[in-house]
C-alpha cells in the first residue's frame, strides 16, 4: 500500500517538493486551480449533450479473476501462513482493545470533550503502534510519501479513493486523527471500543438531522485551534473499485479551513482488497464521475426490484442538480420504471412495453414520444433516459393550462365531465386506431367509479402520469402541422385556380407568353 500526502500550497505544480510553504485557505487554492483550468478549458458541450453517460459505467462493481496458479497460492497460504497471521492478528487486536478500554475508561460515551493528557498520548502512540503491527499481521507493507500536516496547518484530512475497510491504515499513519464513521460501528464488539478511543464524528444515515449535526461537529473540531485532534474524512462517502473518483461530499469544506489530501494506492498485481457493493485525476491518473453514495442506494433498490443493479446508476449528483430532482423523486421513478421494464431482459424499455405502460397501441404519435426518450437511439429506454425524459419532456408540458385544454377537448358536450364514449372517440381519432379499447385506461382515471371523469380526477391522473401530457402536446403539434400544410395546399390550389381563370378571361399570345417567360428567366 502506498499513501501520498499532498499539501495545498502556493504553487500546486510543485506541491510534492515544497513542504515548508505556508498553508492557504481551501477556497483560495480552489480559486487558483479554477483560474488555471479556465485558461485551458475546451468549448463546453451543447446543452443537449450535457447528459451524456459517464466514462466509467459502474464504479461500484469489482470482480476478481484468479488464475489456476493464484488459486494454488491461496490454498497453500491458507494452510500454512493464514493460521500464523490469524494468531498474531487476534493477539494484537485484544491488546489494542485493552489499551483503548483503559484510555476511555470513566469517559462519557458521547464525545462532548476531547481526550487530554495521558489519554491522548496513549491513543496516538501506543494504539498507533499496535495498529501498524495489526496491519503487518494481515500482510500489508505500507510506504508513505510526503509529510503529514500538523493540526494547526490542516485541521482536516481527506482520503481518496475509498475502496476498502483496509483504508483505515490512513488513520494510523497520519497520527490517529478522529474519523467520520457510521454510528453503528461504535457498537461493534472490540473494534467499537478501539474506534471510540479515536473520538469519531458519528453519522447516522437514518436520522434526518444527522447531516446537519455532522457538519456542525466537523466545524467545531476544525476551528478549535488544536484542542481536538485532526478530522480524517473519506469524502466519497462509500467504497468504489478505484477506477475513478466519484463526487465528494461537501462536509469537509464547510468549515472553510485548509485540508490535506491523502491519496491511497494498492499496487498489488492481484486486487483482493477492494470491497464494493457488487462482487484527483492529476494525482492518480483516474477519470472522475458524478456518481455518489445515492447511486449505491439506487443500485441496491434496483436489485430489490429485480432489475439489473447497474440500472440505478444515473450519476445522481449531476442529474439532481441539473434537473432539480430530490432523492425520493428519483426513487419513485425507479419504482415506476421497474413496473414498466419488469418483463424485459436487461432492464430496458422497448416500444411495446412503453405502449403497454400507457395502455395505448403503438402509433406514430407514440413512436415520436418514444424516440424523444431514447436519447442514444438504440431502440430502448434505460432508467437514466427515463428520468431525463420525464423531467425535460413531460413535466414542463404537464402544466395546468395543458391539462385544462386537454379536458376541454375530451369534454365534447361541455357538461364538466368526460364519458367513456367521449374519451374513446377522441383517442381513436387522434391515434388513428378506430377499434381502440380504452376501457382500462378510463377506469384508472375514474377514481370514484362513477362512469364519468371529473376535472379533478383528470387533473390528478395527469399530474401522476406526466407522460400523457407530452403525448397530448405531441398530438397537438401534429394537428397544427397538418392544418398548416392543408392551408398551404389550399392557398396553392386557389392561386392556380385564379391564374387559370385569368388566362381564360385574358388569353395572351404565344409570342407575349414567350417574351414574358424569357423576362422571368432573366430576372
Amino acid at each position: 500500500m502506498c499513501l501520498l500526502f499532498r499539501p495545498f500550497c502556493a504553487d500546486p505544480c510543485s506541491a510534492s517538493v515544497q513542504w515548508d510553504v505556508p498553508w492557504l485557505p481551501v477556497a483560495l487554492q480552489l480559486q487558483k486551480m479554477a483560474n488555471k483550468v479556465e485558461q485551458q478549458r475546451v468549448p463546453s458541450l451543447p446543452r443537449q449533450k450535457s447528459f451524456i453517460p459517464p466514462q466509467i459505467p459502474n464504479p461500484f462493481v469489482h470482480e476478481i479473476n484468479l488464475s489456476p496458479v493464484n488459486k494454488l497460492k491461496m490454498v497453500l497460504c491458507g494452510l500454512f501462513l493464514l493460521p500464523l497471521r490469524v494468531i498474531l492478528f487476534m493477539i494484537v487486536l485484544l491488546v489494542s482493545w485493552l489499551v483503548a478500554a483503559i484510555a476511555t475508561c470513566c469517559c462519557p460515551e458521547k464525545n462532548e470533550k476531547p481526550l487530554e493528557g495521558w489519554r491522548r498520548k496513549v491513543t496516538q502512540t501506543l494504539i498507533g503502534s499496535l495498529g501498524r503491527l495489526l496491519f503487518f499481521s494481515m500482510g500489508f507493507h505500507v510506504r508513505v510519501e510526503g509529510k503529514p500536516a500538523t493540526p494547526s496547518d490542516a485541521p482536516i484530512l481527506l482520503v481518496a479513493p475509498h475502496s476498502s475497510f483496509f483504508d483505515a491504515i490512513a488513520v494510523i499513519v497520519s497520527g490517529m486523527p478522529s474519523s467520520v464513521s457510521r454510528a453503528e460501528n461504535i457498537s461493534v464488539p472490540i473494534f467499537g471500543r478501539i474506534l471510540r478511543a479515536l473520538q469519531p464524528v458519528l453519522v447516522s444515515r437514518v436520522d434526518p438531522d444527522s447531516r446537519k449535526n455532522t457538519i456542525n461537529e466537523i466545524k467545531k473540531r476544525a476551528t478549535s485551534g488544536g484542542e481536538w485532534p485532526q478530522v480524517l474524512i473519506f469524502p466519497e462517502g462509500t467504497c468504489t473499485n478505484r477506477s475513478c473518483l466519484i463526487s465528494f461530499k461537501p462536509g469537509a469544506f464547510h468549515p472553510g479551513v485548509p485540508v490535506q489530501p491523502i491519496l491511497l494506492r494498492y499496487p498489488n498485481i492481484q486486487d483482493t482488497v477492494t470491497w464494493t457493493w457488487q462482487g484527483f485525476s492529476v494525482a492518480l491518473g483516474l477519470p472522475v464521475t458524478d456518481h455518489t453514495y445515492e447511486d449505491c442506494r439506487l443500485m441496491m433498490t434496483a436489485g430489490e426490484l429485480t432489475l439489473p443493479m447497474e440500472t440505478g446508476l444515473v450519476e445522481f449528483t449531476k442529474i439532481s442538480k441539473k434537473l432539480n430532482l430530490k432523492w425520493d423523486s428519483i426513487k419513485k421513478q425507479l419504482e415506476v420504471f421497474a413496473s414498466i421494464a419488469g418483463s424485459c431482459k436487461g432492464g430496458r424499455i422497448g416500444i411495446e412495453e412503453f405502449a403497454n405502460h400507457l395502455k395505448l397501441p403503438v402509433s406514430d404519435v407514440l413512436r415520436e414520444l418514444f424516440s424523444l426518450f431514447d436519447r442514444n437511439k438504440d431502440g430502448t429506454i434505460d432508467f437514466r433516459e427515463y428520468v431525463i425524459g420525464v423531467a425535460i419532456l413531460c413535466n414542463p408540458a404537464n402544466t395546468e393550462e395543458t391539462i385544462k385544454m386537454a379536458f376541454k377537448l375530451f369534454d365534447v358536450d361541455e357538461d364538466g365531465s368526460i364519458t367513456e364514449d367521449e374519451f374513446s372517440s377522441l383517442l381513436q381519432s387522434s391515434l388513428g386506431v378506430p377499434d381502440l379499447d380504452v376501457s382500462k385506461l378510463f377506469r384508472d382515471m375514474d377514481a370514484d367509479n362513477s362512469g364519468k371523469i371529473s376535472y379533478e380526477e383528470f387533473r390528478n391522473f395527469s399530474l401522476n402520469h406526466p407522460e400523457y401530457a407530452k403525448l397530448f402536446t405531441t398530438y397537438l403539434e401534429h394537428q397544427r402541422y397538418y392544418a398548416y400544410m392543408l392551408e398551404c395546399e389550399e392557398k396553392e390550389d386557389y392561386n392556380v385556380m385564379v391564374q387559370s381563370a385569368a388566362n381564360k378571361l385574358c388569353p395572351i399570345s404565344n409570342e407575349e407568353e414567350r417574351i414574358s417567360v424569357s423576362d422571368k428567366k432573366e430576372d
Side-chain angles (χ1 to χ4, degrees):
M1 177 190 290
C2 175
L3 288 91
L4 176 61
F5 289 83
R6 297 289 296 266
F8 271 48
C9 61
D11 182 7
C13 295
S14 58
S16 59
V17 294
Q18 295 185 2
W19 305 112
D20 56 343
V21 177
W23 291 76
L24 298 178
V26 175
L28 178 60
Q29 290 302 320
L30 292 178
Q31 183 62 41
K32 285 193 173 186
M33 286 187 171
N35 293 339
K36 195 167 185 179
V37 172
E38 183 71 23
Q39 298 172 0
Q40 304 173 350
R41 178 180 293 177
V42 297
S44 59
L45 289 170
R47 290 186 61 86
Q48 64 270 22
K49 294 185 179 180
S50 59
F51 289 108
I52 57 175
Q55 183 178 355
I56 303 298
N58 191 349
F60 307 112
V61 172
H62 175 64
E63 297 179 356
I64 302 176
N65 298 316
L66 296 176
S67 64
V69 176
N70 287 330
K71 291 179 181 179
L72 179 60
K73 288 181 180 179
M74 288 183 62
V75 173
L76 295 177
C77 291
L79 291 174
F80 301 104
L81 186 59
L82 181 61
L84 298 177
R85 291 190 182 280
V86 170
I87 293 173
L88 179 59
F89 177 85
M90 293 303 300
I91 293 174
V92 175
L93 182 63
L94 291 175
V95 174
S96 301
W97 171 82
L98 180 61
V99 173
I102 295 174
T104 57
C105 66
C106 303
C107 293
E109 291 188 6
K110 293 185 178 180
N111 297 323
E112 298 176 352
K113 295 181 179 180
L115 295 178
E116 299 176 342
W118 67 270
R119 297 179 187 271
R120 179 179 288 191
K121 290 182 179 179
V122 166
T123 300
Q124 292 179 336
T125 57
L126 192 53
I127 296 182
S129 300
L130 289 170
R132 286 178 177 269
L133 185 58
L134 192 71
F135 273 87
F136 176 78
S137 69
M138 292 185 288
F140 285 93
H141 301 275
V142 183
R143 179 168 58 90
V144 179
E145 297 180 6
K147 180 181 177 181
T150 62
S152 58
D153 287 337
I156 296 178
L157 307 175
L158 299 182
V159 184
H162 186 27
S163 62
S164 171
F165 50 82
F166 294 122
D167 294 347
I169 188 64
V171 177
I172 297 171
V173 300
S174 55
M176 305 300 290
S178 300
S179 59
V180 178
S181 177
R182 292 190 305 167
E184 296 85 352
N185 294 341
I186 207 74
S187 302
V188 177
I190 301 180
F191 290 99
R193 175 62 71 168
I194 299 174
L195 180 64
R196 184 180 165 191
L198 302 178
Q199 294 193 293
V201 178
L202 300 178
V203 179
S204 174
R205 287 172 172 165
V206 296
D207 182 9
D209 297 326
S210 179
R211 171 184 168 85
K212 179 180 178 181
N213 296 336
T214 301
I215 292 175
N216 292 337
E217 183 66 20
I218 293 175
K219 284 182 178 179
K220 182 183 78 172
R221 298 192 183 193
T223 57
S224 65
E227 181 181 354
W228 284 88
Q230 290 170 293
V231 180
L232 185 143
I233 298 175
F234 294 93
E236 293 173 295
T238 189
C239 291
T240 68
N241 56 19
R242 296 198 310 278
S243 61
C244 62
L245 291 180
I246 65 174
S247 296
F248 284 9
K249 299 288 185 180
F253 305 99
H254 281 297
V257 298
V259 303
Q260 182 177 33
I262 302 177
L263 313 179
L264 287 174
R265 288 185 184 275
Y266 291 88
N268 310 49
I269 298 176
Q270 190 69 44
D271 184 4
T272 57
V273 298
T274 297
W275 183 271
T276 59
W277 290 87
Q278 184 179 357
F280 194 48
S281 61
V282 174
L284 299 176
L286 300 178
V288 179
T289 75
D290 288 300
H291 291 105
T292 57
Y293 171 69
E294 284 74 14
D295 286 283
C296 288
R297 296 173 65 187
L298 286 172
M299 188 174 71
M300 302 303 291
T301 303
E304 295 171 359
L305 295 172
T306 68
L307 291 172
M309 298 185 73
E310 293 81 3
T311 304
L313 298 178
V314 296
E315 287 192 303
F316 180 84
T317 297
K318 179 191 291 187
I319 296 293
S320 61
K321 286 182 178 179
K322 286 182 175 288
L323 303 181
N324 194 26
L325 297 175
K326 303 298 182 183
W327 156 255
D328 293 335
S329 175
I330 294 184
K331 183 182 178 183
K332 184 178 179 181
Q333 290 184 15
L334 179 59
E335 294 171 355
V336 174
F337 183 85
S339 66
I340 306 172
S343 59
C344 309
K345 293 183 179 180
R348 292 172 172 269
I349 300 174
I351 184 68
E352 295 291 340
E353 292 77 24
F354 193 68
N356 291 336
H357 167 63
L358 296 177
K359 301 178 180 66
L360 295 172
V362 177
S363 61
D364 292 339
V365 177
L366 192 69
R367 287 192 185 93
E368 181 170 338
L369 178 60
F370 183 86
S371 67
L372 293 175
F373 274 83
D374 183 15
R375 299 176 66 85
N376 60 0
K377 307 304 178 185
D378 64 349
T380 60
I381 302 173
D382 60 24
F383 177 58
R384 198 171 189 273
E385 292 173 327
Y386 179 78
V387 171
I388 296 173
V390 171
I392 293 180
L393 301 172
C394 301
N395 287 341
N398 202 27
T399 61
E400 196 75 31
E401 181 182 359
T402 303
I403 295 173
K404 288 180 180 179
M405 184 187 304
F407 185 83
K408 287 181 180 179
L409 284 177
F410 280 106
D411 185 14
V412 179
D413 56 5
E414 300 182 358
D415 63 347
S417 61
I418 303 172
T419 63
E420 186 169 350
D421 290 338
E422 292 174 330
F423 188 70
S424 61
S425 62
L426 182 60
L427 283 180
Q428 287 171 357
S429 61
S430 62
L431 298 176
V433 184
D435 55 347
L436 175 63
D437 182 11
V438 295
S439 56
K440 191 174 188 310
L441 179 58
F442 183 86
R443 288 195 300 271
D444 290 343
M445 300 178 72
D446 184 15
D448 59 0
N449 297 320
S450 62
K452 292 184 177 181
I453 301 174
S454 65
Y455 175 73
E456 196 64 28
E457 291 173 330
F458 188 84
R459 179 178 179 275
N460 292 337
F461 184 87
S462 300
L463 293 176
N464 292 326
H465 301 81
E467 301 95 336
Y468 289 97
K470 185 58 183 176
L471 188 67
F472 176 71
T473 55
T474 302
Y475 163 71
L476 289 182
E477 290 168 2
H478 275 215
Q479 294 301 309
R480 292 191 187 103
Y481 178 74
Y482 179 68
Y484 172 76
M485 294 302 295
L486 284 180
E487 183 179 355
C488 290
E489 290 179 2
E490 290 177 356
K491 286 183 178 179
E492 185 177 350
D493 293 340
Y494 175 76
N495 291 336
V496 171
M497 183 179 64
V498 170
Q499 184 64 38
S500 176
N503 290 340
K504 289 180 180 180
L505 291 175
C506 303
I508 58 178
S509 63
N510 292 337
E511 181 65 21
E512 291 175 345
E513 185 176 0
R514 184 185 62 79
I515 295 173
S516 176
V517 172
S518 177
D519 291 341
K520 289 179 180 179
K521 286 182 179 180
E522 290 177 0
D523 293 340

